Amino acid sequence: MSRNLTLLTDFYELTMMQGYFKTKKNETVVFDAFYRKNPNDAAYSLSCGLQQVIEYINDLHFSKEDIDYLRSTGLFDDDFLEYLNVFKFTGDIYAIPEGTVVFPKEPLVKVIAPIMEAQLVETAILNIINHQSLIATKAARVVYAANGDGIMEFGLRRAQGPDAGIYGARAAVIGGCIATSNVLAGQLFDVPIKGTHAHSWIMSFPDEYTSFKKYAEFYPQACILLVDTYDTLKSGVPNAIKVFNEMFEAGIPLNFYGIRLDSGDLAYISKKARKMLDDAGFPDAIISASSDLDEYLIDSLKMQGAQITSWGVGTNLITSKDCPAFGGVYKLAAVMDEETKTFIPKIKLSENTEKITNPGNKTVYRVYDKDGMIKADLIAFADETYSEKDSLLLFDPIETWKKTFLRPGEYSLRQIMVQVFKQGECIYESPKVMDIQKYCKLELATLWDESKRLVNPHGIHVDLSKELFEVKNKLLDNYSKLDI
Amino acid sequence: MSRNLTLLTDFYELTMMQGYFKTKKNETVVFDAFYRKNPNDAAYSLSCGLQQVIEYINDLHFSKEDIDYLRSTGLFDDDFLEYLNVFKFTGDIYAIPEGTVVFPKEPLVKVIAPIMEAQLVETAILNIINHQSLIATKAARVVYAANGDGIMEFGLRRAQGPDAGIYGARAAVIGGCIATSNVLAGQLFDVPIKGTHAHSWIMSFPDEYTSFKKYAEFYPQACILLVDTYDTLKSGVPNAIKVFNEMFEAGIPLNFYGIRLDSGDLAYISKKARKMLDDAGFPDAIISASSDLDEYLIDSLKMQGAQITSWGVGTNLITSKDCPAFGGVYKLAAVMDEETKTFIPKIKLSENTEKITNPGNKTVYRVYDKDGMIKADLIAFADETYSEKDSLLLFDPIETWKKTFLRPGEYSLRQIMVQVFKQGECIYESPKVMDIQKYCKLELATLWDESKRLVNPHGIHVDLSKELFEVKNKLLDNYSKLDI
């Protein structure tokens, strides 16, 4: 579904672009897309959306209609519009691959490009990465709460528009959902789709039993009956049992069968329904549920002994309802000195210390302990080199007395950013979505449960290299000396 | 941006469709898309998204790739896939026009079609209407809080994917925003776009003053300078004043100029900045702000006397952060008796009284008082007739003793649903977005402030016609007599 999203940008990116054009300041710069805080007070997030960023960059071009539209605003001059006519992204992009566990302050995407190009792509990169990282992270929480049960993404009707449904389903699967109800997402990303019937199916028949019987006859291979249209325990479950009995008696095997609960007290009803199904001789009948679920409710239902093993999660997952925005930002980190061809680090100040940026052209190392679990992350300049043969001193960039000294053999290192574009050409091939899901599962396995629990999880340190720390402090000192 | 969204549907719509196909039950049915509760405990919502529903219905067709994909799932038979190959929507659709004030339980969209067609379109209709109605409603709240100041929609980077940004901007403008930062939305919907520069513009120059000066030279016609990159009151505002002075001294008039605050205590800083600008001789310099704003914060800042008259609202508007889903549902309301060609009303029960549906083929009347303000809404069967020459008895459908008797001359009536599709053909032309905005403003003017205030607003009654009330109760009685 290639679309021209070139104008999917904030207007100020274009007014700034023209400003850069006119000052001939098309020097090479470094921008970082990063975020400051994990959603839901979690200890981690998942990076997601890179494939769509790649498609966006590959498709970038100003059509004649785009240029005519910009001309009509009266703010753009012909020379700039002529430049847009031949505009092409020529820069380098580095990114942390999709499905990777990530932490605040780390560049999820790094753009090194002439400033006009790097500025233009800000909005769309943030839009895509913010959305998909949000939903993948939420999905991982829901999957964690389900403790091995399958989670199905059922939220399309409540998603914030078609793309939110389509790419939200993609992100949810990457985060660990076993399937989506969204057929278009299934087609586009080759991910499993699931679904049986709605209340309307049942209501369109003269009675519930007939509707169940017809459904079972049509779909014996995937026969999950929705039992709450009239009265779950008095009508729905008994009618379902009657149909299961008749199907087995007729010699039609139901391989994957059971009921779906969509209202009422799911703990109570699921226990009663389980007993009814077991007593009727259907211990392998599945009980699935889908009623305003989220990670907390699933966790609570499991604690209460609810007899549900399959969960359809809609609104709260597809909108990340309790935290519907991932606060990714895109900040200038360095400007190339054209004479020396070296990057001059740039910093953005703020009264809020948390909002001060990390300057320079950077990369991210993941530090693992001997068990292969994440010990900390280390943000360093891209040209720094590290060897596992050396000792490594980690220290907290704010509370600098917090130090960890790692001897060779006590840790391993992995640089988690990869190059995606080189001089405007994509040099990275995205894995298939189901392969990203597998990778993501391995990534999540490198976090202790203490960092994955839903409430008050243990945080992971993101440290700065000594060199980066010193450059950052020097820049801060310089500003504090200015009489501003 | 026509896209084939035919597979933008839940998988169960297709399994049900095939079930209907095989039972030859393609009778004509009525489905209502309605919602149960206004977002944010508000007293009203705004309907929005109809134009995109129309485009979706007009574009509906199963491509060869779509059919191949469905075949690959193994659940669909050739005869059904052949039907999909020639599938076309042939039904009627009625809807409440975009920008209309609406209330819970009213059908925002009513589909009368063969059941296979009516079932297929459920998910996409809900997706589109839920999203845009949510954002239009949120925008109206933010605009209400700003009490005449202009609200600009600035949320694209935090929107849940490209469509959420594009159609969210459209809905925000319908709800009353004067402009959006989203260039693509500006191009697609012919709505005003706004924006100046980001921190990166300032950081890319050797100093703040130079960056401001350059910007003012390039854009004297729209010169709003972002003053918080280093220190708002010590550096940003003084540098802005210096540049304004130099521009006026150089004889370059700044028609639309001022500053933008993007961090810090907006009440305190805006008052200080206002005084600095006034003292410098720039009383007409605009102070705009854009820092995690929503309707409550804007209301609070205005109460505190903040000197801000232009507001850029991002994340909290484009995601409707405190209530990111509009709970629209799509329920079967009637099935046509093929012999008598009359609709048999259908009802969905629930232990939760609020979730019991209103049966039958219905329409909605708005009842106005003598001042032209909304008195109540009345849901009636579509074939009932009302005349303003008759008296009208309104009664609450749950607390039935609450009655209002209106004599001729004391009220006026307007049927608020319009026909949009007739036998598959669109017979409705959507107004332009800016015209919908104007209509919406008039609509909001029919609500008293008491129903628009942000907290604990006065609710509006949605009553049922006597005939509808009686049919509904009869259906409920019938179910309670069943031994289920």
Side-chain angles (χ1 to χ4, degrees):
Chain A
M1 300 228 293
S2 173
R3 287 191 286 172
N4 178 7
L5 295 177
T6 303
L7 292 191
L8 188 78
T9 189
D10 289 313
F11 192 49
Y12 75 2
E13 315 287 13
L14 291 161
T15 51
M16 284 190 279
M17 271 180 91
Q18 178 170 260
Y20 297 135
F21 181 80
K22 292 201 175 281
T23 46
K24 308 292 175 205
K25 286 172 72 320
N26 204 16
E27 73 262 278
T28 299
V29 295
V30 180
F31 272 93
D32 294 331
F34 65 95
Y35 70 102
R36 297 192 182 107
K37 195 174 166 300
N38 294 307
N40 300 104
D41 294 320
Y44 72 96
S45 294
L46 292 172
S47 61
C48 197
L50 182 59
Q51 174 59 24
Q52 281 63 49
V53 167
I54 290 170
E55 290 167 11
Y56 159 76
I57 297 283
N58 277 334
D59 292 344
L60 261 185
H61 70 281
F62 290 85
S63 70
K64 188 178 172 306
E65 292 71 30
D66 295 342
I67 289 170
D68 288 347
Y69 173 68
L70 294 176
R71 184 178 284 114
S72 76
T73 67
L75 277 181
F76 300 103
D77 295 336
D78 283 343
D79 54 351
F80 177 65
L81 294 172
E82 276 163 33
Y83 159 73
L84 293 187
N85 192 36
V86 296
F87 176 91
K88 187 184 172 316
F89 182 80
T90 65
D92 296 349
I93 297 181
Y94 296 77
I96 298 178
E98 297 189 88
T100 305
V101 166
V102 291
F103 305 105
K105 306 289 182 76
E106 300 174 357
L108 305 188
V109 177
K110 178 175 77 172
V111 176
I112 305 180
I115 192 165
M116 290 196 277
E117 302 172 22
Q119 190 73 65
L120 173 69
V121 299
E122 170 177 17
T123 314
I125 287 177
L126 288 178
N127 173 279
I128 294 165
I129 297 288
N130 276 335
H131 171 231
Q132 291 197 46
S133 298
L134 178 74
I135 305 303
T137 305
K138 182 71 171 179
R141 289 170 63 80
V142 176
V143 168
Y144 181 77
N147 194 23
D149 294 347
I151 299 289
M152 295 169 290
E153 187 287 300
F154 273 4
L156 176 55
R157 64 191 55 197
R158 301 285 169 79
Q160 296 193 347
D163 284 343
I166 297 165
Y167 299 112
R170 177 183 188 274
V173 170
I174 287 173
C177 289
I178 59 166
T180 175
S181 65
N182 184 332
V183 183
L184 188 50
Q187 181 188 36
L188 289 171
F189 310 121
D190 196 18
V191 298
I193 52 175
K194 294 242 185 211
T196 57
H197 57 252
H199 297 111
S200 53
W201 171 265
I202 291 142
M203 290 162 69
S204 76
F205 285 83
D207 58 75
E208 190 177 48
Y209 162 75
T210 309
S211 75
F212 284 178
K213 186 68 185 281
K214 285 286 174 200
Y215 199 85
E217 286 170 0
F218 293 140
Y219 300 107
Q221 68 277 60
C223 181
I224 304 292
L225 302 172
L226 178 60
V227 290
D228 74 332
T229 305
Y230 303 112
D231 187 303
T232 303
L233 297 176
K234 288 188 190 162
S235 170
V237 178
N239 278 325
I241 287 172
K242 187 175 173 193
V243 168
F244 297 154
N245 269 320
E246 289 172 359
M247 294 299 285
F248 280 99
E249 279 163 18
I252 301 166
L254 300 173
N255 296 322
F256 180 81
Y257 74 107
I259 61 172
R260 176 160 72 94
L261 309 173
D262 191 42
S263 60
D265 188 308
L266 296 178
Y268 173 80
I269 291 175
S270 68
K271 287 184 225 176
K272 289 277 179 189
R274 181 75 272 161
K275 186 163 188 323
M276 291 163 78
L277 289 164
D278 289 352
D279 289 350
F282 301 112
D284 55 343
I286 287 160
I287 301 181
S288 66
S290 56
S291 177
D292 274 336
L293 298 169
D294 66 8
E295 64 268 46
Y296 304 104
L297 184 51
I298 291 173
D299 187 58
S300 167
L301 285 167
K302 290 185 81 77
M303 292 284 285
Q304 295 169 61
Q307 296 296 304
I308 297 162
T309 57
S310 171
W311 309 80
V313 184
T315 310
N316 297 323
L317 167 55
I318 204 69
T319 65
S320 186
K321 194 171 180 188
D322 53 352
C323 180
F326 191 87
V329 296
Y330 185 83
K331 296 292 174 189
L332 183 69
V335 174
M336 186 174 274
D337 182 308
E338 289 301 325
E339 283 181 26
T340 63
K341 295 287 174 197
T342 54
F343 281 115
I344 306 163
K346 292 276 181 175
I347 196 165
K348 181 190 172 295
L349 301 190
S350 174
E351 287 181 39
N352 181 343
T353 311
E354 286 299 298
K355 286 195 170 185
I356 295 173
T357 60
N358 286 319
N361 178 22
K362 301 177 295 293
T363 192
V364 183
Y365 290 92
R366 178 139 301 164
V367 186
Y368 298 95
D369 65 17
K370 280 182 288 186
D371 298 318
M373 304 298 277
I374 299 177
K375 178 112 194 140
D377 272 12
L378 177 68
I379 306 178
F381 288 122
D383 57 5
E384 289 187 71
T385 52
Y386 286 90
S387 164
E388 293 170 359
K389 290 175 188 162
D390 298 328
S391 295
L392 183 67
L393 178 70
L394 297 172
F395 62 93
D396 187 288
I398 293 167
E399 301 167 294
T400 51
W401 66 90
K402 290 188 181 174
K403 290 178 183 169
T404 305
F405 187 77
L406 298 168
R407 288 184 180 78
E410 289 182 339
Y411 74 98
S412 60
L413 275 182
R414 182 167 79 95
Q415 199 170 345
I416 60 175
M417 297 191 86
V418 298
Q419 186 163 10
V420 178
F421 279 86
K422 187 175 180 180
Q423 296 180 325
E425 296 301 317
C426 181
I427 58 166
Y428 176 82
E429 192 179 347
S430 282
K432 290 177 180 166
V433 169
M434 294 310 284
D435 289 333
I436 301 175
Q437 186 194 59
K438 277 183 211 151
Y439 165 75
C440 184
K441 204 169 171 182
L442 294 175
E443 275 289 297
L444 288 164
T446 63
L447 280 174
W448 297 107
D449 268 339
E450 286 77 356
S451 294
K452 284 188 282 198
R453 68 180 171 227
L454 301 178
V455 178
N456 201 19
H458 181 69
I460 303 282
H461 278 283
V462 178
D463 297 329
L464 303 185
S465 73
K466 189 160 176 287
E467 199 179 328
L468 174 54
F469 179 78
E470 285 169 357
V471 167
K472 182 174 184 176
N473 276 312
K474 203 173 147 196
L475 285 170
L476 289 173
D477 280 347
N478 285 349
Y479 279 111
S480 66
K481 282 178 206 144
L482 286 179
D483 185 24
I484 53 173
Chain B
M1 299 228 292
S2 172
R3 286 192 285 172
N4 179 9
L5 295 177
T6 303
L7 292 192
L8 188 78
T9 190
D10 288 313
F11 192 48
Y12 75 2
E13 314 288 13
L14 291 160
T15 51
M16 283 190 281
M17 272 180 91
Q18 177 169 261
Y20 298 134
F21 181 81
K22 292 199 174 282
T23 46
K24 309 292 175 206
K25 285 172 71 322
N26 204 15
E27 73 260 280
T28 298
V29 295
V30 180
F31 271 92
D32 294 331
F34 65 95
Y35 70 102
R36 297 192 182 108
K37 194 172 166 302
N38 294 305
N40 300 104
D41 294 320
Y44 73 96
S45 294
L46 292 173
S47 61
C48 198
L50 182 58
Q51 173 59 26
Q52 281 64 47
V53 168
I54 291 171
E55 289 166 12
Y56 159 75
I57 298 284
N58 277 333
D59 292 345
L60 261 185
H61 70 283
F62 289 87
S63 70
K64 186 179 173 305
E65 291 70 31
D66 296 341
I67 289 170
D68 288 346
Y69 173 68
L70 293 177
R71 183 177 285 115
S72 76
T73 67
L75 277 181
F76 300 103
D77 295 336
D78 283 344
D79 53 352
F80 177 64
L81 294 173
E82 275 162 34
Y83 158 73
L84 294 187
N85 192 36
V86 296
F87 176 91
K88 188 184 170 315
F89 182 79
T90 65
D92 295 348
I93 296 180
Y94 296 77
I96 298 178
E98 297 189 89
T100 305
V101 166
V102 291
F103 305 106
K105 306 286 182 78
E106 300 174 357
L108 305 188
V109 178
K110 177 175 78 172
V111 176
I112 305 180
I115 192 165
M116 289 196 276
E117 303 173 22
Q119 189 73 65
L120 174 68
V121 299
E122 169 176 20
T123 315
I125 287 178
L126 288 177
N127 173 279
I128 294 166
I129 296 288
N130 276 336
H131 172 230
Q132 291 198 46
S133 298
L134 178 75
I135 304 303
T137 304
K138 183 72 172 180
R141 289 171 63 81
V142 176
V143 168
Y144 181 77
N147 196 23
D149 295 347
I151 299 289
M152 296 168 290
E153 186 286 300
F154 274 4
L156 176 55
R157 65 191 55 199
R158 302 283 170 81
Q160 296 193 347
D163 284 342
I166 296 165
Y167 299 112
R170 177 182 188 275
V173 169
I174 286 174
C177 289
I178 59 166
T180 175
S181 65
N182 183 332
V183 183
L184 187 50
Q187 180 189 33
L188 289 171
F189 309 122
D190 196 18
V191 298
I193 51 175
K194 295 242 185 211
T196 58
H197 57 252
H199 297 112
S200 53
W201 171 266
I202 290 141
M203 289 162 70
S204 76
F205 284 85
D207 59 75
E208 190 178 47
Y209 161 76
T210 307
S211 75
F212 285 178
K213 186 68 186 281
K214 286 287 175 199
Y215 198 84
E217 286 170 359
F218 293 140
Y219 300 107
Q221 68 276 58
C223 182
I224 304 292
L225 302 172
L226 177 61
V227 289
D228 75 331
T229 306
Y230 303 112
D231 187 304
T232 303
L233 297 176
K234 288 188 188 159
S235 170
V237 177
N239 277 327
I241 288 172
K242 187 175 173 194
V243 168
F244 297 155
N245 268 321
E246 289 172 359
M247 294 299 286
F248 281 99
E249 279 164 17
I252 302 166
L254 300 172
N255 295 323
F256 180 82
Y257 74 106
I259 61 171
R260 176 161 71 96
L261 309 173
D262 191 41
S263 61
D265 188 306
L266 296 177
Y268 172 80
I269 291 175
S270 68
K271 287 185 225 176
K272 289 278 179 189
R274 181 74 272 159
K275 187 164 188 319
M276 290 164 78
L277 289 164
D278 288 352
D279 290 351
F282 301 112
D284 56 342
I286 287 159
I287 300 181
S288 66
S290 56
S291 176
D292 273 336
L293 298 169
D294 65 9
E295 65 268 46
Y296 304 105
L297 184 52
I298 291 174
D299 187 58
S300 167
L301 285 166
K302 290 186 81 77
M303 291 286 284
Q304 295 169 61
Q307 296 296 305
I308 297 163
T309 58
S310 172
W311 309 81
V313 184
T315 310
N316 297 323
L317 168 54
I318 204 69
T319 64
S320 186
K321 194 172 179 187
D322 53 351
C323 180
F326 191 87
V329 295
Y330 185 84
K331 296 291 175 190
L332 183 69
V335 175
M336 185 174 274
D337 181 309
E338 289 301 325
E339 284 181 25
T340 63
K341 294 289 172 196
T342 54
F343 281 115
I344 306 163
K346 291 278 179 172
I347 196 164
K348 180 191 171 296
L349 301 190
S350 174
E351 284 180 40
N352 182 342
T353 311
E354 286 300 299
K355 286 195 170 184
I356 294 173
T357 60
N358 286 320
N361 178 23
K362 301 176 295 293
T363 191
V364 184
Y365 291 91
R366 177 140 301 164
V367 185
Y368 297 95
D369 66 16
K370 280 182 289 188
D371 298 318
M373 303 299 277
I374 299 177
K375 179 111 194 140
D377 272 12
L378 177 67
I379 306 179
F381 287 123
D383 57 5
E384 289 186 71
T385 53
Y386 286 89
S387 164
E388 292 170 359
K389 290 175 187 160
D390 299 328
S391 295
L392 183 68
L393 178 71
L394 297 173
F395 63 93
D396 187 288
I398 292 166
E399 300 167 296
T400 51
W401 67 91
K402 290 188 181 173
K403 290 179 183 170
T404 305
F405 188 76
L406 297 168
R407 290 184 179 77
E410 289 182 339
Y411 74 98
S412 60
L413 275 182
R414 181 167 80 95
Q415 200 169 345
I416 59 175
M417 297 192 86
V418 298
Q419 188 164 8
V420 178
F421 279 86
K422 187 174 179 179
Q423 296 180 325
E425 295 302 316
C426 181
I427 58 167
Y428 175 81
E429 192 180 347
S430 282
K432 289 176 181 165
V433 169
M434 295 309 284
D435 290 333
I436 301 175
Q437 186 195 58
K438 276 183 209 150
Y439 165 75
C440 185
K441 205 171 170 181
L442 295 174
E443 275 289 296
L444 288 165
T446 62
L447 280 174
W448 297 106
D449 268 339
E450 285 78 356
S451 294
K452 284 187 283 197
R453 67 180 172 227
L454 300 179
V455 178
N456 201 18
H458 181 70
I460 304 282
H461 278 284
V462 178
D463 298 329
L464 303 186
S465 74
K466 189 159 176 290
E467 199 178 328
L468 174 54
F469 178 79
E470 285 169 357
V471 167
K472 182 174 182 175
N473 276 311
K474 203 172 148 197
L475 285 170
L476 289 174
D477 280 345
N478 287 349
Y479 279 110
S480 65
K481 281 180 206 143
L482 287 179
D483 184 23
I484 54 175

